[in-house]
Amino acid sequence: MPNAYISGTGFYVPPRVVTNDQLREEYGIDTTDEWIRQRTGIEERRFADEGNAPSDLAVHASKMALENAELTNKDIDLIVFATLSPDFAFPGSGVILQRKLGMCDEGHFPPALDVRNQCSGFLYSLATATSMVQSGAMKNVLVIGAEVQSAALDLSSRGRGVAALFGDGAGAVIVSATDEDRGVRHFQLGADGRHADVLSQKVWDTSKRPFIPQNADGVGQVQPEMMWAQMQGKLVFKHAIERMIGVMMQTFSAQGLTLDDVDLFAFHQANLRINQYIQKSIGAPEEKFLHNIQKYGNTTAATIPILLAEAEQTGQLTRGKKVCCVAFGSGFTWGAAIIDW
Ligand code: ACO
């Protein structure tokens, strides 16, 4: 059985920086830099300009990952695209990325799969790609986490509890087959659908006829509580801590690892306080934790691949390092992976 390793990473964030002060001054949101920093660690985030969808951000990240892996479009056997903010209700963003990368023009039509697991989407996708590669079915899988969340944030005082948290961005990795003794050693995934409503965005409801209410002229009418994401923040916080520690310990136990064996922790970036609380509770050194929430906010499916790509770029993440990735998100869903780089 071949090993599945990460042969290349890439990332892209849109150039437009929006600081906490700008949320107040430009968008008129009743908030302060102090409130957001103290509770979340976020200082600023990136918002994509109109005209950009997740697939557009993903093109940049994918090209960087391909270049770093020294591969071309034609080497890609499968695209796995994780996002909670897909370009459209359907088709998935994976096929749109395939087209925008120019694969179709080259006569190359790899399968494309969308994964809808929100903040855990990248780890669910990594697990899927790893299994495909280890089974021998695929040699190189392009795994993307990309979000344009700014288009669906209620950027008003009413929406401040959610709008202050999220940003736009894309991260990509290529999962490749190798005979070398390296790669994804173990992954663990979980879900608890009892909490499906705790963090959700029900723009439409297919149990209703029609799925979006219409006015007398047949024009869709989406009420604010359906249009914008709804979240019970304190409950998410509590479950995130419990599940992230639990799933990480399961992977440690499956691999016979202790904290000292891990060189870097690449945790989902939902809230700096969640990650710092976990780091202190388990007694791990602060410097082993990668963070970028301060500058990008929560980029949902993109947080972990962006962290990995940035860490490779800065030289923090090099061949031989053992990385522990952990995520938790809406669903609730969660996951962890141990990777020997
Ligand atoms: N600026 C100023 N005031 C705000 C803001 C804001 N941006 N947002 C909410 N408030 C107000 C609320 O209206 C409320 O006011 P009230 O007491 O007058 O009603 C007050 O602050 C407290 O609100 P809470 O929601 O109770 O604040 P809390 O201390 O729980 O912090 C937070 C909110 C930061 C979201 C926290 O619950 C949290 O981090 N939860 C984790 C959720 C998370 O990270 N979600 C990300 C997506 S899920 C994922 O990726 C895992």
Side-chain angles (χ1 to χ4, degrees):
M1 185 173 89
N3 282 318
Y5 83 113
I6 294 182
S7 59
T9 61
F11 77 103
Y12 176 79
V13 288
R16 186 152 66 93
V17 175
V18 178
T19 64
N20 294 337
D21 283 332
Q22 280 173 290
L23 287 181
R24 192 183 67 251
E25 288 155 12
E26 287 177 25
Y27 294 89
I29 301 178
D30 178 15
T31 190
T32 61
D33 177 54
E34 194 195 359
W35 193 99
I36 299 171
R37 266 182 210 242
Q38 269 185 3
R39 283 176 177 74
T40 69
I42 298 166
E43 297 167 19
E44 58 190 40
R45 72 283 296 140
R46 304 296 179 94
F47 281 176
D49 287 330
E50 191 159 353
N52 287 282
S55 60
D56 295 299
L57 275 51
V59 167
H60 297 285
S62 303
K63 284 186 173 168
M64 190 193 285
L66 282 166
E67 199 182 315
N68 287 335
E70 296 179 6
L71 296 172
T72 66
N73 279 346
K74 288 224 160 101
D75 296 311
I76 296 302
D77 303 314
L78 168 70
I79 295 169
V80 184
F81 198 121
T83 184
L84 73 55
S85 53
D87 295 43
F88 306 110
F90 71 85
S93 294
V95 292
I96 299 169
L97 174 66
Q98 184 211 56
R99 186 179 71 204
K100 288 182 178 172
L101 279 171
M103 289 180 173
C104 312
D105 297 337
E106 296 167 7
H108 182 50
F109 302 97
L113 167 74
D114 274 36
V115 169
R116 300 292 308 281
N117 284 71
Q118 301 71 247
C119 302
S120 312
F122 175 73
L123 290 185
Y124 270 73
S125 302
L126 182 70
T128 304
T130 297
S131 303
M132 288 287 199
V133 167
Q134 288 176 341
S135 75
M138 310 274 171
K139 282 204 166 54
N140 298 297
V141 181
L142 172 60
V143 177
I144 313 287
E147 308 284 0
V148 171
Q149 305 184 101
S150 56
L153 292 176
D154 181 3
L155 290 162
S156 73
S157 296
R158 178 184 56 195
R160 66 183 180 175
V162 171
L165 307 179
F166 294 94
D168 302 338
V173 304
I174 299 181
V175 180
S176 298
T178 181
D179 294 329
E180 292 175 22
D181 185 19
R182 64 189 296 198
V184 179
R185 300 299 194 187
H186 186 74
F187 58 78
Q188 194 91 34
L189 304 172
D192 183 351
R194 288 174 299 178
H195 303 289
D197 297 325
V198 170
L199 175 50
S200 60
Q201 187 182 17
K202 299 177 179 175
V203 178
W204 69 83
D205 179 346
T206 320
S207 72
K208 304 265 169 58
R209 305 290 181 269
F211 72 126
I212 292 172
Q214 289 175 310
N215 68 12
D217 299 323
V219 177
Q221 307 285 296
V222 183
Q223 296 302 315
E225 62 277 13
M226 290 191 69
M227 186 152 168
W228 311 114
Q230 306 293 316
M231 177 176 73
Q232 296 175 41
K234 284 192 168 59
L235 202 66
V236 176
F237 198 106
K238 177 177 164 286
H239 282 267
I241 287 171
E242 284 171 13
R243 290 301 188 183
M244 288 173 84
I245 293 177
V247 73
M248 183 172 65
M249 290 309 167
Q250 279 177 298
T251 58
F252 278 25
S253 144
Q255 287 286 293
L257 299 177
T258 67
L259 280 178
D260 291 342
D261 296 318
V262 175
D263 298 300
L264 287 172
F265 292 87
F267 276 26
H268 171 54
Q269 305 285 294
N271 185 321
L272 191 60
R273 307 299 165 230
I274 293 178
N275 294 357
Q276 286 173 332
Y277 184 92
I278 296 174
Q279 174 247 316
K280 290 197 175 88
S281 325
I282 61 174
E286 202 180 341
E287 57 277 10
K288 285 190 178 181
F289 278 71
L290 301 171
H291 292 301
N292 61 23
I293 189 166
Q294 298 95 327
K295 51 185 184 172
Y296 303 143
N298 181 352
T299 54
T300 302
T303 62
I304 294 177
I306 295 177
L307 280 178
L308 297 174
E310 283 191 315
E312 263 210 319
Q313 204 174 58
T314 60
Q316 262 179 301
L317 180 51
T318 48
R319 176 84 199 259
K321 292 253 165 101
K322 193 178 283 296
V323 187
C324 172
C325 302
V326 184
F328 176 87
S330 153
F332 293 141
T333 56
W334 56 87
I338 301 288
I339 309 168
D340 283 332
W341 212 254

